[in-house]
Amino acid sequence: MLDSDLLAAAAAATGFMPADEGLALAEAVLAAPAGPILEVGSYLGKSTLYLAAAARPRGATVVTVDHHRGSEEHQPGWDYHDPGLVDPRVGLIDTLPGFRGTIAAAGAEDVVVAVVARAEQFARLWATPLAFLFLDGSHTDESAQRDLASWAPHLAAGGVLAIHDVFPDPADGGQAPYRIYRKALDSGDYTELTGRGSLRLLRREPSPRQER
């Protein structure tokens, strides 16, 4: 069962997660093993609330990591730049106040732990096997590959890797998420689950060593 109030808040929040994909994301969390849920790429908290809608009924916590300076596509001159998100004191994007407002307004502060850091730096400090990993950070090749390399080793056997904005056809969107999806799937370490839209879901299989 998903938290209906948090689902409604997620649907109303600002962000780039379509409602059907957000619902599929939440349902995938419900079906995942028990354990920590971690999101790479918080932006203003829309997808975080979909994760929280599944975490709350499970008594789980969503950890979400973002430097909150915006991805490349959020910078001045890019298609998704929002001047209202620029902190005039430093002249840089700052999505943290908006994120905190989204989470507080939804009443989800008891479910969500926000970490302000670069994902690869925080990954070096993380030691607990993850039950669910959602990659939705910067969509450049360098960043996407770095996120996969930093966080996939923390995913427990049986855990679920979710990747957003996967578009096999370049005409539909950028290819960096598609390339890390293919890299994960082609590694032989994952079995694909049923996703929705641009959301791909992969279950990590036990390694031969773990099976012995």
Side-chain angles (χ1 to χ4, degrees), residues 6 9-10 12 17 33 49 77 99 107 115 129 131 151 158-159 167 173 177 186 202 211:
L6 290 182
M17 175 67 73
L49 290 181
F99 170 84
V115 177
W151 283 102
F167 298 107
D186 294 344
L202 305 172
E211 290 176 340

Side-chain angles (χ1 to χ4, degrees), residues 119-144:
E120 70 276 12
Q121 293 175 329
F122 185 51
R124 292 195 289 268
L125 304 176
W126 187 268
T128 307
L130 296 171
F132 196 94
L133 172 61
F134 179 44
L135 298 183
D136 194 20
S138 172
H139 288 0
T140 66
D141 269 311
E142 180 182 2
S143 295

Side-chain angles (χ1 to χ4, degrees), residues 157-172:
V160 175
L161 169 63
I163 304 174
H164 194 223
D165 292 330
V166 175
F167 298 107
D169 186 344
D172 295 329

Side-chain angles (χ1 to χ4, degrees), residues 162-187:
I163 304 174
H164 194 223
D165 292 330
V166 175
F167 298 107
D169 186 344
D172 295 329
Q175 293 295 284
Y178 174 70
R179 281 190 273 270
I180 63 169
Y181 152 74
R182 286 304 328 176
K183 184 174 184 177
L185 192 58
D186 294 344
S187 72

Side-chain angles (χ1 to χ4, degrees), residues 36-42 48 51 55 60-66 99 111-115 122 126 130 132-134 151:
I37 302 158
L38 189 135
E39 174 184 51
V40 174
S42 314
T48 311
L51 295 170
T61 298
V62 177
V63 178
T64 181
V65 56
D66 196 313
F99 170 84
V111 183
V112 175
V113 173
V115 177
F122 185 51
W126 187 268
L130 296 171
F132 196 94
L133 172 61
F134 179 44
W151 283 102

Side-chain angles (χ1 to χ4, degrees), residues 2 4 16 26 28 35 45-46 58-59 62 65 67 74 87 93 125-126 129 147 150 154 160 167 183 200:
L2 298 171
S4 59
F16 306 105
K46 187 179 184 73
R58 299 184 59 164
V62 177
V65 56
H67 51 63
H74 300 144
D87 182 346
I93 294 286
L125 304 176
W126 187 268
D147 288 344
S150 298
H154 291 292
V160 175
F167 298 107
K183 184 174 184 177
R200 297 294 187 274

